[in-house]
Amino acid sequence: MIWLNWRQFRLQALVGAAGLALIAAYLLYLGADIRDAHDAYRARCAGPGDCAQARSQFQSAYQNPLLFLAAGLGLIPVVIGAFWGAPLVARELELGTHRLVWNQSVTRRRWLAGRVAFAGLAAMILTGAAGLLLTWAASPYDQVAADRFGTVEFGARNIVPIGYAFLAFALGTVTGLLVRRTLPAMAITGVVFLMLQFSVPNLVRPHLMPPERTSLPMTAQNIDQARNLGSITGAPVIGGLRVPGAPDAWISETSPLRTADGRTMAGSAFDACLGSPPKTGAGGTFGDTAVCLSKLGLHVDIEYHPSGRYWTFQLAETGLYLAAGGILIVVALRRVRRV
């Protein structure tokens, strides 16, 4: 069985190994470059003003490349599910070669279990190694940016990619077994897993643990520390805030701007401060707008998770993916008897 699995899987394994080698070479180079830039940033950080400017330059230099790398790593499980998992059984059924294998002494369940174990372990090793390499390369940047809970970043660091790979592979295997045609199974696997990658971080991850809650007054200083103000719909919202005393906490939900009595700020008042605030000559990110809003006694209610919960979330989400993948494999082992 081991030799048969290797013969059938060797092309995918060699392509995966070559891809991992290229990824490793680039991430080792990038990691060294980030560390040199981080040392330069620390050397320039002689005073508060110098620190702010140096931090901004350091983050802007690597923010987009690391974001694109994280998004690219997120596509590896999609490729594994579509090109490794979906054809695993579907190709055998489509070509009729399953009849030869299942007429030997090896049972259907044992044959499928062997193939799943061989290819599934390879998928987890490949994706896990790429995730750990990216984690190492980005670690100085992550320390400065304090955004490890980011939607894309979280799923591309440490152990979560291992769970992604296993779930994608299991999803592809079950889809191929049910659809029985390779190309439709590949397409369905890719679409469904992309939907999972979008929905879990936004709909499931924030609720894996009960959040902490607090109210943050909208002083001019707090407003200027935000990343964005307003939205395309014109709603009185603010985004990218930080919890005082815990700048690396993950804010999972932020209410609209609210008045002292808890009501959502009127859109007309928000538009007035956003579009034509009184001129005060204030500096900062939002300048006169921040001063105008700060005089209205506003606040936001936020739900957040302290940074100390990071590994709890990593373990919980990875366990969720592994459990879901395990259920799919059990379904496949039961279903293969009736094919």
Side-chain angles (χ1 to χ4, degrees):
M1 280 294 294
I2 295 177
W3 175 247
L4 177 62
N5 284 328
W6 166 247
R7 291 275 298 180
Q8 293 182 312
F9 186 69
R10 61 184 175 181
L11 178 60
Q12 296 96 315
L14 292 174
V15 171
L20 179 61
L22 292 174
I23 292 172
Y26 177 72
L27 288 177
L28 289 172
Y29 162 77
L30 180 64
D33 188 57
I34 291 176
R35 280 158 175 76
D36 290 341
H38 185 252
D39 291 340
Y41 149 68
R42 295 181 62 185
R44 291 178 56 194
C45 196
D50 294 333
C51 268
Q53 183 179 7
R55 183 185 300 112
S56 177
Q57 292 176 349
F58 174 68
Q59 289 184 233
S60 62
Y62 296 102
Q63 182 178 20
N64 288 335
L66 288 174
L67 185 62
F68 291 145
L69 282 170
L73 180 60
L75 292 177
I76 293 179
V78 180
V79 173
I80 286 173
F83 288 89
W84 290 14
L88 190 74
V89 181
R91 185 190 294 116
E92 303 278 359
L93 297 175
E94 198 170 21
L95 298 177
T97 53
H98 65 289
R99 298 186 183 93
L100 176 62
V101 178
W102 293 348
N103 284 327
Q104 307 301 315
S105 60
V106 178
T107 64
R108 297 183 183 189
R109 282 187 175 180
R110 184 182 172 189
W111 169 80
L112 181 58
R115 298 214 63 189
V116 165
F118 196 87
L121 182 61
M124 295 168 70
I125 291 173
L126 170 64
T127 312
L132 292 177
L133 283 167
L134 179 58
T135 302
W136 171 82
S139 59
Y141 173 86
D142 289 340
Q143 292 173 10
V144 175
D147 193 26
R148 295 190 302 169
F149 281 102
T151 301
V152 179
E153 292 85 351
F154 184 87
R157 304 285 202 271
N158 294 299
I159 62 174
V160 168
I162 298 174
Y164 267 144
F166 181 67
L167 178 56
F169 177 77
L171 177 63
T173 301
V174 172
T175 303
L177 183 61
L178 296 176
V179 176
R180 302 176 66 129
R181 294 182 63 84
T182 303
L183 290 179
M186 293 171 65
I188 293 171
T189 300
V191 171
V192 171
F193 194 75
L194 284 172
M195 292 174 60
L196 285 173
Q197 283 184 309
F198 174 79
S199 60
V200 170
N202 294 285
L203 302 178
V204 178
R205 185 183 300 161
H207 305 290
L208 291 176
M209 293 182 65
E212 302 287 338
R213 293 179 173 85
T214 189
S215 180
L216 185 63
M218 288 292 93
T219 63
Q221 181 181 4
N222 286 337
I223 294 172
D224 277 329
Q225 289 178 351
R227 294 180 183 173
N228 57 277
L229 189 61
S231 69
I232 58 175
T233 63
V237 296
I238 187 169
L241 296 169
R242 293 192 174 187
V243 180
D248 52 352
W250 171 34
I251 296 181
S252 56
E253 185 173 342
T254 304
S255 72
L257 293 168
R258 289 175 174 166
T259 58
D261 58 2
R263 297 182 179 180
T264 299
M265 179 187 186
S268 57
F270 179 73
D271 292 339
C273 283
L274 195 64
S276 56
K279 301 298 182 181
T280 63
T285 305
F286 299 105
D288 294 333
T289 296
V291 175
C292 178
L293 291 172
S294 68
K295 294 179 179 180
L296 301 178
L298 303 171
H299 70 277
V300 293
D301 296 321
I302 60 177
E303 296 182 355
Y304 70 97
H305 298 275
S307 61
R309 295 180 177 180
Y310 176 80
W311 273 105
T312 303
F313 272 96
Q314 279 273 322
L315 292 169
E317 191 161 326
T318 304
L320 178 66
Y321 297 142
L322 293 176
I327 292 172
L328 290 175
I329 294 300
V330 171
V331 170
L333 292 173
R334 293 176 64 88
R335 176 70 180 179
V336 75
R337 296 183 61 186
R338 300 194 294 271
V339 174

